[in-house]
Amino acid sequence: MNTRDVAELRRAAIRLSVQFTALTVVLLVVMGALLYSIVAAGTVESTTRALEDASRIDSPRDAPLGVFVSFLDNQGVVSPRVMPRGLPDNAAMARVAETGVEEREGFSAGGRTYEVLTTLHGDRVVQAAVDTHEGRESLDRLAWAMAVAIAAATVLAVAASAWMARRAMLPLSESLALQRRFVADASHELRTPLTLLSTRAQLLRRKLSGPESDLSRDAVSAEVSRLVEDSKLLTAILDDLLISTDPRENTAQTAVDLVALAANAVELAAPQASQRNIGLHMDDFDGSVTVEGSPVALQRILTSLISNALDHARTVVGVAVEIRGNDARIVVSDDGPGFAPGTEKRAFERFSSARPGSSDADATRHYGLGLALAAEIAAHHHGKILIEPAQRGRGAAVVAVLPLART
């Protein structure tokens, strides 16, 4: 995946994380505000009941703890011995005695808060004061606790949303990477068969239009048949690429003769080698070498290895099929600049390149996608691609190792 795609996915993950965190914080704030309002309403209701109950008692000494009651009658104001400073509020009691309308107000004294109710009860004015300091402190502690909880939950939401955003982006990232990979694979894989098809068509046209053209009907039919086979191969490669875009799909596994497959690959690449004035030959092998796999996919291994060898060969490319132990080996060698020491693994990375130590600038070997795709296909067939020292100490030899079919 390129840098631009990574940046876009990172920005999408950040946006998703921010939105999820904001939603979480908003929900927590709403729930906190609702809880605070319920508790506050309960505190106010409790204070109101305490005031109403206190206004009905007969003596100041009967008031419960935290409640102070005073009376105003014909004999004057009667209050308990211990009263908060500023209580009773004689002016309020006088107003209620005159108007008959009860009054309720807040009052602060000595660092504490009180709720004061002055009302007319029978033939006397009753003033009840309830200490609300503890209730207010409880509400303040609740507010602080909710603020801390929301802050902690926000931190956890940021971490959780970031993790979930990355997890949510992972399928999209894989899908985007698979799409990019398919485009790159298709452009590479289809280039070779299209080149071969074009080359064969050009050769046929040259033979047909030349002044010395004496091709028989059978010869023309044979050339057209080869074009048809090339077209079928192109279609098969495209189908195989489409199947590879879904990792859940499995390509059909059949018995494949590597000797016949290699001979066909050499025949397909012959026009390309001829145009480059490179000798392309296949070593003789008596019998067949059978493996289990997809004929089209294995053909792609051979096509990629031969195409890579033709790209770097000076004069000759050789193809050989052999058996070693329980494995079948396809050896494709060339007399080009070879591989630089230490690049045996990097050669199978996409679009890598290396200079094998030659002073010739053209000796740099660019690997592109061919070897990487060949290695992936071989791994899918429980095999591998190796780089071995070339015969006669010059050039390169790339070996595809595949397990023999069980008999």
Side-chain angles (χ1 to χ4, degrees):
M1 188 181 301
N2 57 38
T3 305
R4 182 178 179 182
D5 292 337
V6 172
E8 287 292 339
L9 289 174
R10 184 180 293 114
R11 284 194 289 269
I14 292 175
R15 287 195 297 269
L16 186 61
S17 176
V18 170
Q19 291 172 358
F20 180 81
T21 301
L23 178 61
T24 302
V25 171
V26 169
L27 290 176
L28 289 174
V29 170
V30 171
M31 292 178 62
L34 181 61
L35 176 62
Y36 184 87
S37 63
I38 292 174
V39 174
T43 301
V44 172
E45 184 180 356
S46 176
T47 300
T48 300
R49 284 199 302 268
L51 289 172
E52 291 176 352
D53 292 341
S55 67
R56 297 186 181 92
I57 63 177
D58 296 328
S59 172
R61 292 189 297 271
D62 296 336
L65 184 65
V67 178
F68 306 92
V69 180
S70 301
F71 298 103
L72 174 62
D73 52 19
N74 295 331
Q75 298 178 356
V77 177
V78 180
S79 301
R81 293 182 180 181
V82 180
M83 285 285 286
R85 187 178 56 187
L87 290 178
D89 186 351
N90 294 326
M93 297 178 72
R95 287 195 302 271
V96 171
E98 181 179 354
T99 62
V101 180
E102 69 177 27
E103 295 182 6
R104 181 172 174 173
E105 61 182 351
F107 176 77
S108 298
R112 304 186 73 85
T113 57
Y114 303 89
E115 192 73 19
V116 180
L117 174 65
T118 305
T119 184
L120 189 64
H121 189 70
D123 58 350
R124 63 180 180 177
V125 176
V126 181
Q127 188 175 79
V130 175
D131 189 346
T132 61
H133 185 73
E134 294 297 332
R136 291 185 179 275
E137 282 191 341
S138 296
L139 288 176
D140 291 341
R141 287 194 295 271
L142 177 61
W144 275 106
M146 288 191 300
V148 172
I150 291 174
T154 300
V155 174
L156 292 176
V158 169
S161 60
W163 178 76
M164 287 189 292
R166 285 195 297 269
R167 291 293 300 272
M169 290 294 107
L170 186 59
L172 179 60
S173 174
E174 292 176 349
S175 177
L176 186 58
L178 192 61
Q179 181 185 33
R180 297 284 189 188
R181 182 173 175 176
F182 170 75
V183 173
D185 291 356
S187 63
H188 178 274
E189 288 295 305
L190 297 179
R191 178 176 59 85
T192 299
L194 283 172
T195 301
L196 295 175
L197 188 63
S198 175
T199 301
R200 195 180 297 279
Q202 291 176 35
L203 290 175
L204 178 58
R205 183 180 63 181
R206 190 177 304 166
K207 292 178 181 179
L208 291 174
S209 60
E212 68 283 358
S213 176
D214 57 352
L215 290 178
S216 65
R217 182 185 298 270
D218 292 339
V220 172
S221 177
E223 292 294 335
V224 172
S225 296
R226 293 190 182 96
L227 289 175
V228 172
E229 292 300 321
D230 290 345
S231 301
K232 289 182 178 179
L233 176 61
L234 186 62
T235 303
I237 291 175
L238 182 58
D239 290 340
D240 198 32
L241 285 171
L242 291 174
I243 291 175
S244 69
T245 60
D246 189 351
R248 298 168 297 182
E249 293 289 343
N250 292 319
T251 306
Q253 303 286 306
T254 59
V256 181
D257 181 8
L258 289 184
V259 176
L261 206 65
N264 184 56
V266 169
E267 182 183 358
L268 290 175
Q272 184 181 1
S274 177
Q275 277 196 333
R276 300 184 181 188
N277 295 320
I278 296 175
L280 175 61
H281 68 273
M282 176 178 173
D283 294 350
D284 294 334
F285 185 91
D286 294 333
S288 61
V289 178
T290 306
V291 298
E292 291 287 337
S294 164
V296 174
L298 295 176
Q299 182 76 58
R300 287 167 61 193
I301 292 181
L302 282 157
T303 302
S304 296
L305 297 187
I306 294 174
S307 177
N308 178 76
L310 290 174
D311 287 341
H312 301 96
R314 289 189 173 92
T315 59
V316 65
V317 171
V319 179
V321 179
E322 59 189 28
I323 295 177
R324 184 174 297 180
N326 294 323
D327 294 325
R329 291 163 50 90
I330 305 170
V331 183
V332 180
S333 58
D334 65 76
D335 61 348
F339 291 87
T343 61
E344 290 80 3
K345 293 183 178 180
R346 191 157 56 88
F348 301 107
E349 297 177 359
R350 294 173 171 234
F351 302 108
S352 62
S353 62
R355 186 184 299 275
S358 171
S359 59
D360 185 2
D362 294 334
T364 301
R365 212 176 166 108
H366 301 278
Y367 308 126
L369 273 172
L371 293 182
L373 292 175
E376 292 174 7
I377 297 170
H380 186 69
H381 287 76
H382 310 289
K384 56 187 175 180
I385 305 291
L386 304 174
I387 295 175
E388 295 185 350
Q391 297 179 356
R392 297 179 295 277
R394 183 172 180 81
V398 183
V399 183
V401 181
L402 299 168
L404 291 170
R406 296 180 181 179
T407 56

